[in-house]
Amino acid sequence: MNRSLLRRLPALLWLWLLWILLWSTPSPLVILGGLLVALAVLALSRFPRVSRQITVRPLRLLALCARMAGNLVVSATAVGWAALRHGPRVRAAIVELPLDADSDLLVTLATLLTNVSPGSLVLEIDRDRRVLYVHVLLVVASDDVTDARRELLASERRLVAALGRRQDTAPAATPTSRKDDA
């Protein structure tokens, strides 16, 4: 197997998996068709080279995934209960979240990690200042804002510990928040 093919293997596997997930029924036709479509996409397109921006630490990545799965269950339950109990009167805040992530890939993954957690949604990414602006639900008091920020920062730190390298940079801006009614 030549090096060019090996470098494109992750993209091939990702496109193939994406095809299967989009069809949601892994029949033999979908699996074979997905492989053919992924091969055709890679053969007909020129993807830019992506430099290796991460260092995978398998045990930390596994711990991150396990923690994320647990957080999804807990937070989905809390958001569902709040929606049933309070309806449209659920309190929310916008939290400024300084990032440790030092690459576009890690910022993207941090954004995805934040967005898959029910009750939080990234509204804006300030790439120059390395800050996410996140809308969080279930905020009644300023302690809730602090707790939400602490949990989001902890998740991002776990991501950086699992996949990235921290670089000594200037300290991030002081985080702020603004409460509003969602």
Side-chain angles (χ1 to χ4, degrees), residues 16-161:
W16 191 19
L17 176 65
L18 187 61
W19 178 269
I20 293 169
L21 291 174
L22 286 172
W23 280 95
S24 76
T25 311
S27 68
L29 181 61
V30 168
I31 292 170
L32 181 60
L35 179 60
L36 294 175
V37 168
L39 285 168
V41 166
L42 288 176
L44 297 174
S45 62
R46 296 268 185 223
F47 288 105
R49 256 190 98 133
V50 177
S51 64
R52 186 167 166 87
Q53 298 175 343
I54 61 173
T55 302
V56 178
R57 295 171 187 90
L59 292 178
R60 288 184 180 178
L61 183 59
L62 184 63
L64 173 70
C65 291
R67 177 100 181 208
M68 186 181 75
N71 285 348
L72 280 172
V73 171
V74 170
S75 61
T77 303
V79 169
W81 175 248
L84 289 173
R85 185 170 175 216
H86 300 293
R89 297 181 318 252
V90 174
R91 302 283 297 186
I94 297 173
V95 177
E96 186 178 84
L97 190 67
L99 294 174
D100 286 334
D102 58 355
S103 70
D104 289 338
L105 181 60
L106 286 176
V107 170
T108 302
L109 292 173
T111 301
L112 291 172
L113 183 64
T114 302
N115 281 339
V116 298
S117 178
S120 64
L121 175 70
V122 174
L123 299 174
E124 183 179 347
I125 303 168
D126 186 340
R127 185 65 181 108
D128 295 331
R129 291 180 47 220
R130 291 183 4 193
V131 173
L132 296 181
Y133 294 95
V134 182
H135 181 269
V136 293
L137 292 177
L138 309 176
V139 175
V140 177
S142 62
D143 290 346
D144 296 335
V145 172
T146 304
D147 291 344
R149 181 180 295 115
R150 186 176 20 253
E151 182 57 38
L152 291 170
L153 284 171
S155 292
E156 194 259 345
R157 278 190 213 105
R158 284 189 288 273
L159 174 72
V160 171

